[in-house]
Amino acid sequence: MAVAIHRLPQSKGRLAIIAGAGTLPHHVAEAARLQGEDPFIIALSREADTDWTGFDHAVCAIGDFAAISRTFETEGIDRVVLSGAVRRRPEWRDIRPTLKTLAKVPRVFRTLISGGDDAVLRMVIELIEASGAHVIGAHEVVPGLLADTGPLGAHAPTDEDRRDIEAGIAAANALGALDVGQGAVAVGGRVVALEGAEGTDAMLARVADLRKDGRISIRRRGVLVKLCKPQQDERADLPSIGPSTVAGAHAAGLAGIAVEAGRALVLERARLVQEADRSGLFILGIERDGRRDRR
Protein backbone atom coordinates (compact mmCIF):
# COMPACT_ATOMS: atom_id res chain seq x y z
CA MET A 1 0.00 0.00 0.00
CA ALA A 2 1.35 3.44 -0.91
CA VAL A 3 1.50 5.67 2.14
CA ALA A 4 1.38 9.46 2.01
CA ILE A 5 4.27 11.08 3.85
CA HIS A 6 3.30 13.68 6.44
CA ARG A 7 5.81 15.33 8.72
CA LEU A 8 4.89 15.14 12.36
CA PRO A 9 5.48 18.12 14.66
CA GLN A 10 9.04 18.42 15.93
CA SER A 11 9.52 16.54 19.15
CA LYS A 12 12.34 15.49 21.42
CA GLY A 13 10.55 12.34 22.50
CA ARG A 14 9.38 9.09 21.03
CA LEU A 15 6.05 8.19 19.44
CA ALA A 16 4.00 5.39 20.98
CA ILE A 17 1.16 3.54 19.31
CA ILE A 18 -1.36 1.96 21.67
CA ALA A 19 -2.55 -0.86 19.46
CA GLY A 20 -5.89 -2.63 19.47
CA ALA A 21 -7.17 -5.13 16.93
CA GLY A 22 -7.02 -4.91 13.14
CA THR A 23 -4.55 -3.72 10.53
CA LEU A 24 -4.69 0.03 11.20
CA PRO A 25 -2.03 0.08 13.97
CA HIS A 26 0.48 -1.59 11.65
CA HIS A 27 -0.24 0.92 8.85
CA VAL A 28 0.34 3.78 11.29
CA ALA A 29 3.56 2.22 12.62
CA GLU A 30 5.00 1.70 9.13
CA ALA A 31 4.08 5.25 8.08
CA ALA A 32 5.76 6.65 11.18
CA ARG A 33 8.93 4.73 10.33
CA LEU A 34 8.95 6.24 6.84
CA GLN A 35 9.08 9.65 8.52
CA GLY A 36 12.14 8.73 10.56
CA GLU A 37 10.25 7.86 13.72
CA ASP A 38 11.07 4.84 15.87
CA PRO A 39 7.59 4.02 17.17
CA PHE A 40 7.16 2.01 20.34
CA ILE A 41 4.13 -0.28 20.30
CA ILE A 42 1.99 -0.82 23.38
CA ALA A 43 -0.12 -3.82 22.39
CA LEU A 44 -3.32 -4.18 24.40
CA SER A 45 -3.64 -7.67 25.83
CA ARG A 46 -6.73 -9.61 24.68
CA GLU A 47 -7.20 -7.01 21.90
CA ALA A 48 -4.11 -6.59 19.70
CA ASP A 49 -3.86 -9.31 17.04
CA THR A 50 -0.83 -8.16 15.01
CA ASP A 51 2.64 -9.73 15.11
CA TRP A 52 4.85 -6.86 16.26
CA THR A 53 8.15 -8.62 15.57
CA GLY A 54 10.54 -5.98 14.24
CA PHE A 55 9.12 -3.19 16.41
CA ASP A 56 10.01 -2.39 20.00
CA HIS A 57 6.88 -3.31 21.88
CA ALA A 58 5.31 -4.24 25.19
CA VAL A 59 1.99 -5.83 26.13
CA CYS A 60 -0.21 -4.02 28.66
CA ALA A 61 -3.74 -4.55 29.93
CA ILE A 62 -6.25 -2.03 28.64
CA GLY A 63 -6.87 -0.42 32.05
CA ASP A 64 -3.34 -0.64 33.45
CA PHE A 65 -2.46 3.05 33.30
CA ALA A 66 0.31 2.56 35.85
CA ALA A 67 2.17 0.14 33.53
CA ILE A 68 1.47 2.32 30.50
CA SER A 69 2.75 5.40 32.33
CA ARG A 70 5.94 3.56 33.36
CA THR A 71 6.47 2.61 29.72
CA PHE A 72 6.10 6.25 28.69
CA GLU A 73 8.79 7.22 31.18
CA THR A 74 11.16 4.36 30.37
CA GLU A 75 10.92 4.83 26.60
CA GLY A 76 10.82 8.64 26.56
CA ILE A 77 7.34 8.75 25.03
CA ASP A 78 5.83 12.19 24.49
CA ARG A 79 3.23 11.49 21.73
CA VAL A 80 0.65 8.73 21.57
CA VAL A 81 -1.64 7.41 18.85
CA LEU A 82 -4.66 5.32 19.81
CA SER A 83 -5.18 2.90 16.95
CA GLY A 84 -7.21 -0.21 16.25
CA ALA A 85 -10.40 -1.73 17.55
CA VAL A 86 -11.09 -2.34 21.23
CA ARG A 87 -13.82 -4.94 21.56
CA ARG A 88 -13.94 -5.24 25.33
CA ARG A 89 -14.70 -2.37 27.69
CA PRO A 90 -12.47 -2.64 30.80
CA GLU A 91 -14.09 -3.61 34.09
CA TRP A 92 -13.58 -1.44 37.15
CA ARG A 93 -11.27 -4.10 38.62
CA ASP A 94 -9.00 -3.76 35.54
CA ILE A 95 -8.15 -0.13 36.30
CA ARG A 96 -4.65 0.44 37.65
CA PRO A 97 -4.27 4.21 38.15
CA THR A 98 -1.12 6.25 38.63
CA LEU A 99 -0.69 8.72 41.47
CA LYS A 100 -1.43 11.50 38.98
CA THR A 101 -4.73 9.91 37.98
CA LEU A 102 -5.82 8.52 41.36
CA ALA A 103 -8.15 11.45 42.07
CA LYS A 104 -9.94 10.79 38.77
CA VAL A 105 -10.80 7.17 39.62
CA PRO A 106 -14.39 7.76 40.86
CA ARG A 107 -15.26 9.52 37.58
CA VAL A 108 -13.50 6.76 35.64
CA PHE A 109 -15.76 4.17 37.24
CA ARG A 110 -18.88 6.23 36.52
CA THR A 111 -17.88 6.64 32.88
CA LEU A 112 -17.16 2.94 32.44
CA ILE A 113 -20.54 2.05 33.90
CA SER A 114 -22.78 4.59 32.16
CA GLY A 115 -20.81 6.45 29.46
CA GLY A 116 -20.94 5.80 25.73
CA ASP A 117 -17.91 4.82 23.67
CA ASP A 118 -16.95 8.42 22.90
CA ALA A 119 -17.15 9.39 26.58
CA VAL A 120 -14.87 6.47 27.45
CA LEU A 121 -12.38 7.46 24.74
CA ARG A 122 -12.28 11.06 25.93
CA MET A 123 -11.62 9.79 29.45
CA VAL A 124 -8.78 7.56 28.19
CA ILE A 125 -7.22 10.49 26.34
CA GLU A 126 -7.42 12.61 29.50
CA LEU A 127 -5.75 9.89 31.58
CA ILE A 128 -2.96 9.43 29.03
CA GLU A 129 -2.30 13.15 28.86
CA ALA A 130 -2.25 13.32 32.67
CA SER A 131 0.76 11.00 32.36
CA GLY A 132 2.61 13.65 30.36
CA ALA A 133 2.14 12.44 26.77
CA HIS A 134 0.22 14.22 24.02
CA VAL A 135 -2.43 12.21 22.14
CA ILE A 136 -2.58 12.75 18.37
CA GLY A 137 -4.86 11.23 15.73
CA ALA A 138 -3.88 8.35 13.45
CA HIS A 139 -4.78 10.58 10.50
CA GLU A 140 -2.09 13.05 11.61
CA VAL A 141 0.46 10.29 11.03
CA VAL A 142 -1.17 8.72 7.95
CA PRO A 143 -3.37 11.36 6.26
CA GLY A 144 -3.45 9.22 3.11
CA LEU A 145 -5.87 6.87 4.89
CA LEU A 146 -8.61 9.52 4.99
CA ALA A 147 -11.51 9.14 2.56
CA ASP A 148 -11.68 11.68 -0.26
CA THR A 149 -14.88 13.32 -1.46
CA GLY A 150 -16.46 11.48 -4.37
CA PRO A 151 -16.43 7.94 -5.76
CA LEU A 152 -13.57 5.59 -5.05
CA GLY A 153 -13.46 2.82 -7.62
CA ALA A 154 -15.34 2.01 -10.81
CA HIS A 155 -18.93 2.24 -9.58
CA ALA A 156 -21.11 5.22 -8.67
CA PRO A 157 -24.45 5.47 -6.82
CA THR A 158 -27.78 5.70 -8.63
CA ASP A 159 -30.48 8.21 -7.70
CA GLU A 160 -32.15 5.51 -5.60
CA ASP A 161 -28.85 4.87 -3.83
CA ARG A 162 -28.55 8.60 -3.09
CA ARG A 163 -31.96 8.55 -1.40
CA ASP A 164 -30.70 5.71 0.77
CA ILE A 165 -27.57 7.71 1.53
CA GLU A 166 -29.67 10.66 2.70
CA ALA A 167 -31.72 8.37 4.97
CA GLY A 168 -28.52 6.78 6.29
CA ILE A 169 -26.95 10.18 7.02
CA ALA A 170 -29.97 11.26 9.08
CA ALA A 171 -29.91 7.98 11.02
CA ALA A 172 -26.14 7.98 11.60
CA ASN A 173 -26.25 11.58 12.82
CA ALA A 174 -29.02 10.76 15.30
CA LEU A 175 -27.27 7.59 16.44
CA GLY A 176 -23.95 9.38 16.87
CA ALA A 177 -25.54 12.16 18.91
CA LEU A 178 -26.60 9.44 21.38
CA ASP A 179 -22.98 8.18 21.52
CA VAL A 180 -24.06 4.72 20.42
CA GLY A 181 -22.50 4.00 17.02
CA GLN A 182 -21.34 5.42 13.70
CA GLY A 183 -23.14 3.39 11.04
CA ALA A 184 -26.59 2.84 9.59
CA VAL A 185 -28.04 0.82 6.72
CA ALA A 186 -30.93 2.15 4.62
CA VAL A 187 -32.83 0.14 2.01
CA GLY A 188 -35.52 1.70 -0.18
CA GLY A 189 -35.32 4.95 1.79
CA ARG A 190 -36.01 3.09 5.06
CA VAL A 191 -33.46 2.63 7.85
CA VAL A 192 -33.22 -1.11 8.55
CA ALA A 193 -30.21 -1.38 10.87
CA LEU A 194 -28.23 0.78 13.29
CA GLU A 195 -24.73 0.02 14.53
CA GLY A 196 -24.41 -0.81 18.21
CA ALA A 197 -21.69 -2.28 20.37
CA GLU A 198 -21.41 -5.29 18.03
CA GLY A 199 -19.66 -3.20 15.33
CA THR A 200 -20.13 -2.74 11.60
CA ASP A 201 -19.33 -6.27 10.42
CA ALA A 202 -21.84 -7.82 12.83
CA MET A 203 -24.48 -5.25 11.83
CA LEU A 204 -23.99 -6.17 8.16
CA ALA A 205 -24.32 -9.86 9.03
CA ARG A 206 -27.60 -9.02 10.74
CA VAL A 207 -28.81 -7.24 7.59
CA ALA A 208 -27.89 -10.30 5.53
CA ASP A 209 -29.97 -12.47 7.88
CA LEU A 210 -32.92 -10.07 7.66
CA ARG A 211 -32.69 -10.23 3.88
CA LYS A 212 -32.72 -14.05 3.92
CA ASP A 213 -35.73 -14.04 6.26
CA GLY A 214 -37.69 -11.76 3.91
CA ARG A 215 -37.73 -8.84 6.35
CA ILE A 216 -35.92 -6.66 3.78
CA SER A 217 -36.89 -6.40 0.10
CA ILE A 218 -34.72 -8.47 -2.23
CA ARG A 219 -35.47 -6.04 -5.09
CA ARG A 220 -33.93 -3.00 -3.40
CA ARG A 221 -30.27 -3.06 -2.56
CA GLY A 222 -29.49 -0.36 0.01
CA VAL A 223 -26.45 1.50 1.37
CA LEU A 224 -24.21 1.46 4.43
CA VAL A 225 -23.42 4.97 5.76
CA LYS A 226 -20.65 5.63 8.31
CA LEU A 227 -20.08 9.07 9.88
CA CYS A 228 -18.17 10.53 12.79
CA LYS A 229 -20.31 11.17 15.84
CA PRO A 230 -21.17 14.90 16.01
CA GLN A 231 -19.33 15.29 19.33
CA GLN A 232 -16.47 12.90 18.53
CA ASP A 233 -12.87 13.60 19.48
CA GLU A 234 -11.12 12.97 16.17
CA ARG A 235 -7.97 11.72 17.90
CA ALA A 236 -9.59 8.32 18.45
CA ASP A 237 -12.02 5.92 16.80
CA LEU A 238 -12.58 7.58 13.45
CA PRO A 239 -15.02 5.53 11.36
CA SER A 240 -13.19 3.05 9.17
CA ILE A 241 -13.89 0.64 6.34
CA GLY A 242 -11.75 -2.11 4.90
CA PRO A 243 -12.02 -5.19 2.70
CA SER A 244 -14.08 -6.99 5.36
CA THR A 245 -16.64 -4.15 5.20
CA VAL A 246 -16.94 -4.62 1.45
CA ALA A 247 -17.38 -8.36 1.89
CA GLY A 248 -20.07 -7.81 4.53
CA ALA A 249 -21.91 -5.24 2.41
CA HIS A 250 -21.86 -7.57 -0.58
CA ALA A 251 -23.16 -10.49 1.50
CA ALA A 252 -25.95 -8.21 2.76
CA GLY A 253 -26.97 -7.41 -0.82
CA LEU A 254 -26.10 -3.71 -0.59
CA ALA A 255 -25.28 -1.44 -3.52
CA GLY A 256 -22.48 0.42 -1.80
CA ILE A 257 -20.85 2.18 1.12
CA ALA A 258 -20.78 5.93 1.89
CA VAL A 259 -18.31 7.33 4.42
CA GLU A 260 -17.59 10.82 5.68
CA ALA A 261 -14.90 12.47 3.55
CA GLY A 262 -11.93 13.73 5.54
CA ARG A 263 -13.14 12.07 8.75
CA ALA A 264 -13.18 8.35 7.95
CA LEU A 265 -10.34 5.93 7.32
CA VAL A 266 -10.07 3.66 4.27
CA LEU A 267 -7.90 0.66 5.16
CA GLU A 268 -6.05 -1.44 2.57
CA ARG A 269 -7.35 0.92 -0.10
CA ALA A 270 -6.06 -0.91 -3.17
CA ARG A 271 -7.50 -4.24 -2.04
CA LEU A 272 -10.75 -2.59 -0.92
CA VAL A 273 -11.26 -0.94 -4.33
CA GLN A 274 -10.44 -4.18 -6.13
CA GLU A 275 -12.98 -6.11 -4.04
CA ALA A 276 -15.64 -3.40 -4.43
CA ASP A 277 -15.17 -3.24 -8.20
CA ARG A 278 -15.34 -7.03 -8.46
CA SER A 279 -18.49 -7.14 -6.34
CA GLY A 280 -20.19 -4.27 -8.18
CA LEU A 281 -20.29 -2.02 -5.10
CA PHE A 282 -19.64 1.72 -5.03
CA ILE A 283 -17.49 3.38 -2.34
CA LEU A 284 -18.31 7.06 -1.88
CA GLY A 285 -16.86 9.89 0.21
CA ILE A 286 -19.67 12.23 1.27
CA GLU A 287 -20.11 15.48 3.16
CA ARG A 288 -21.76 15.28 6.56
CA ASP A 289 -24.67 17.51 5.53
CA GLY A 290 -25.48 15.23 2.60
CA ARG A 291 -24.18 17.45 -0.17
CA ARG A 292 -23.53 15.49 -3.34
CA ASP A 293 -20.03 14.37 -4.11
CA ARG A 294 -17.93 16.46 -6.45
CA ARG A 295 -17.10 14.70 -9.71
Side-chain angles (χ1 to χ4, degrees):
M1 169 182 172
V3 179
I5 303 300
H6 173 67
R7 297 296 169 189
L8 298 176
Q10 291 297 316
S11 169
K12 296 181 180 179
R14 194 174 188 183
L15 175 72
I17 298 171
I18 298 182
T23 61
L24 178 58
H26 201 270
H27 286 310
V28 176
E30 292 286 3
R33 270 190 171 170
L34 288 175
Q35 299 171 81
E37 295 278 353
D38 180 22
F40 187 90
I41 312 303
I42 299 175
L44 296 177
S45 60
R46 299 171 61 186
E47 297 290 351
D49 52 8
T50 296
D51 180 1
W52 289 107
T53 302
F55 287 88
D56 291 343
H57 64 280
V59 177
C60 292
I62 190 170
D64 195 347
F65 290 99
I68 291 172
S69 182
R70 286 195 300 271
T71 302
F72 289 169
E73 184 174 355
T74 301
E75 300 296 332
I77 304 299
D78 68 349
R79 290 153 300 138
V80 177
V81 169
L82 303 175
S83 183
V86 174
R87 295 161 293 206
R88 185 184 67 90
R89 180 177 291 216
E91 301 287 345
W92 65 267
R93 63 179 63 88
D94 297 330
I95 303 301
R96 301 287 185 272
T98 66
L99 288 175
K100 291 180 180 179
T101 60
L102 197 57
K104 302 179 187 291
V105 167
R107 185 169 62 82
V108 169
F109 290 162
R110 288 195 299 271
T111 303
L112 287 175
I113 292 169
S114 61
D117 288 347
D118 198 61
V120 171
L121 283 169
R122 287 197 303 271
M123 177 195 72
V124 169
I125 288 171
E126 183 179 336
L127 291 173
I128 289 172
E129 295 200 325
S131 300
H134 178 56
V135 177
I136 61 176
H139 59 289
E140 296 181 64
V141 182
V142 199
L145 290 179
L146 289 171
D148 300 317
T149 304
L152 177 65
H155 302 288
T158 65
D159 288 341
E160 182 177 354
D161 295 331
R162 291 183 183 281
R163 287 191 290 273
D164 285 336
I165 290 171
E166 290 173 4
I169 287 172
N173 276 326
L175 184 69
L178 295 172
D179 196 7
V180 175
Q182 300 170 321
V185 174
V187 178
R190 177 172 71 99
V191 176
V192 299
L194 299 172
E195 181 186 22
E198 81 277 21
T200 303
D201 289 350
M203 176 183 65
L204 291 173
R206 179 157 43 93
V207 172
D209 288 340
L210 290 170
R211 186 94 68 179
K212 290 175 186 176
D213 292 342
R215 300 292 300 274
I216 299 174
S217 169
I218 61 173
R219 294 170 306 180
R220 293 180 168 176
R221 298 187 66 188
V223 174
L224 165 67
V225 175
K226 293 196 72 171
L227 305 176
C228 264
K229 298 172 184 174
Q231 75 285 2
Q232 184 161 339
D233 189 319
E234 294 182 26
R235 291 174 292 176
D237 196 33
L238 288 180
S240 65
I241 59 170
S244 68
T245 321
V246 172
H250 178 59
L254 302 184
I257 300 168
V259 295
E260 187 170 356
R263 299 179 77 206
L265 304 175
V266 180
L267 308 182
E268 299 183 69
R269 184 178 298 236
R271 182 181 160 205
L272 177 144
V273 170
Q274 182 181 46
E275 292 294 324
D277 288 351
R278 184 181 62 80
S279 301
L281 271 69
F282 68 82
I283 309 293
L284 186 71
I286 59 173
E287 304 293 341
R288 174 171 214 93
D289 60 7
R291 282 179 292 159
R292 290 181 174 238
D293 53 288
R294 296 188 296 269
R295 302 196 182 199

